[in-house]
Amino acid sequence: MTGAAIPLQSGVIAEFLDNAGIPADYAGPIDQALSFLIAFVAVYLLGRILVLPAVNRALRSRNLDAHARKPLRRVASIVVLFAAVGVAFSFAGFGNILTALATVGAAATLAIGFAMQDVLKNFVAGIFIYTDEPFRIGDWIEWDDNAGIVEDISLRVSRVRTFDNELLTVPNSQLTDDVIKNPVAKDKLRMKIDFGIGYDDDIQAATEIVVEEAEAHPEILEDPAPSVRLVELGDSSVGLQSRVWIANPSRSDFVKVKSDYVQAVKERFDDQDVDIPYPNRTIGGEIEFTNVDAMAEPTTNDD
């Protein structure tokens, strides 16, 4: 292995070693080792001073929180480290070694990729969650038959606290492959609440009650205004659907506002004699008796 293509720094080092009286057999390896060390330190420090702050500014510009930025900064640090090693190998004239390491690294990466497909899949999904932000820590999300509040997002799994206080550890790939419902992603949320009244009740009067109670509720927005639509003619009731909006939604706000609103409408219906009917069921058919005469014969008394 020769240093024929050694750059300027390596020439200065070689001259220094020659002046120091280092034998040529030792000067070459020492020259390459020092060249590697100098190049590695220079590139690594340059990356720490210039690249990592630039990455951090880019992450902040996307409004990522500190928890989300930490693993991405770690990935950037690893990239800077590998870049410094690669440049240092090339600078020191270790071309053959660098090629061998790249070959071994590629083979190892392929083997690890096959062995860790699920882990890598969840890792990539975690990156997408950080960059696309379908949900954030503290959001109320729903998927499949599950729902809860996001407590933690890592590069492999996310942790969701259900409303029964159960902790779900969910692989990130499940949250990127399936449809995720995030009711609190925006600053407003519309609630649709159904009320049933009797066929003999006044639809207009019932509609006015539903709207008035929505307008009287302090947490229900005036704009967009509450609205009511007749949506169903059921077997035993006429279906009215109220559509109202709340601001800065959360799960607790959603449940409380809906409960208070439904209770207020029910009390007004009771005061105004608006019926909320029970389902009516008509049972048809007939019962047939056989051997009725035998059943009607008196029993004999042996006494």
Side-chain angles (χ1 to χ4, degrees):
M1 186 179 300
T2 63
I6 296 177
L8 177 62
Q9 291 98 322
S10 185
V12 173
I13 295 173
E15 183 179 351
F16 172 77
L17 294 175
D18 183 59
N19 294 333
I22 303 295
D25 292 341
Y26 299 102
I30 295 175
D31 181 11
Q32 290 182 313
L34 291 176
S35 298
F36 175 88
L37 180 62
I38 293 172
F40 173 80
V41 172
V43 175
Y44 184 73
L45 291 178
L46 192 65
R48 299 282 299 183
I49 295 172
L50 298 180
V51 177
L52 294 185
V55 171
N56 196 35
R57 287 194 298 270
L59 295 177
R60 288 180 181 275
S61 68
R62 295 186 61 86
N63 296 322
L64 293 177
D65 54 32
H67 179 78
R69 293 196 304 269
K70 184 177 179 180
L72 296 179
R73 285 201 306 265
R74 187 174 303 168
V75 171
S77 298
I78 294 174
V79 171
V80 169
L81 177 62
F82 275 100
V85 171
V87 171
F89 265 116
S90 178
F91 189 83
F94 293 139
N96 293 334
I97 296 178
L98 184 60
T99 302
L101 288 176
T103 303
V104 173
T109 301
L110 183 62
I112 293 172
F114 280 114
M116 302 180 65
Q117 291 184 51
D118 291 339
V119 174
L120 294 175
K121 181 180 180 181
N122 291 322
F123 179 85
V124 173
I127 296 294
F128 282 128
I129 289 175
Y130 282 124
T131 56
D132 296 344
E133 294 186 352
F135 54 84
R136 300 171 62 88
I137 293 176
D139 281 0
W140 153 33
I141 64 172
E142 299 177 2
W143 77 101
D144 292 337
D145 295 326
N146 302 296
I149 304 298
V150 179
E151 286 198 345
D152 181 55
I153 304 172
S154 68
L155 286 176
R156 190 179 66 84
V157 298
S158 296
R159 292 174 176 82
V160 180
R161 178 77 60 180
T162 70
F163 302 115
D164 294 328
N165 204 34
E166 300 170 333
L167 183 63
L168 302 181
T169 300
V170 188
N172 285 331
S173 60
Q174 290 190 13
L175 300 178
T176 55
D177 292 343
D178 296 331
V179 176
I180 298 295
K181 180 179 179 181
N182 187 347
V184 297
K186 304 299 181 180
D187 58 355
K188 296 179 184 177
L189 174 66
R190 188 178 73 173
M191 299 190 302
K192 295 187 290 186
I193 305 171
D194 294 330
F195 298 97
I197 63 174
Y199 273 89
D200 295 332
D201 292 318
D202 188 334
I203 295 177
Q204 184 61 36
T207 299
E208 291 176 358
I209 291 174
V210 174
V211 172
E212 288 172 2
E213 291 304 319
E215 293 173 342
H217 197 291
E219 301 299 326
I220 294 178
L221 298 178
E222 297 180 358
D223 184 21
S227 63
V228 178
R229 297 289 184 269
L230 194 154
V231 294
E232 182 185 18
L233 297 176
D235 295 337
S236 57
S237 65
V238 175
L240 301 178
Q241 186 177 85
S242 174
R243 302 177 182 182
V244 299
W245 293 80
I246 60 175
N248 302 318
S250 68
R251 171 71 180 190
S252 57
D253 292 338
F254 177 88
V255 174
K256 184 178 185 303
V257 171
K258 182 177 180 179
S259 176
D260 293 345
Y261 176 44
V262 171
Q263 180 177 344
V265 171
K266 173 64 169 61
E267 291 173 352
R268 283 287 304 279
F269 278 1
D270 291 343
D271 292 340
Q272 301 296 324
D273 295 325
V274 176
D275 186 28
I276 302 179
Y278 294 100
N280 294 324
R281 297 290 183 267
T282 301
I283 301 177
E286 60 183 19
I287 301 176
E288 181 179 351
F289 293 96
T290 61
N291 201 17
V292 177
D293 294 339
M295 294 173 59
E297 290 180 357
T299 59
T300 59
N301 188 349
D302 295 336
D303 294 337

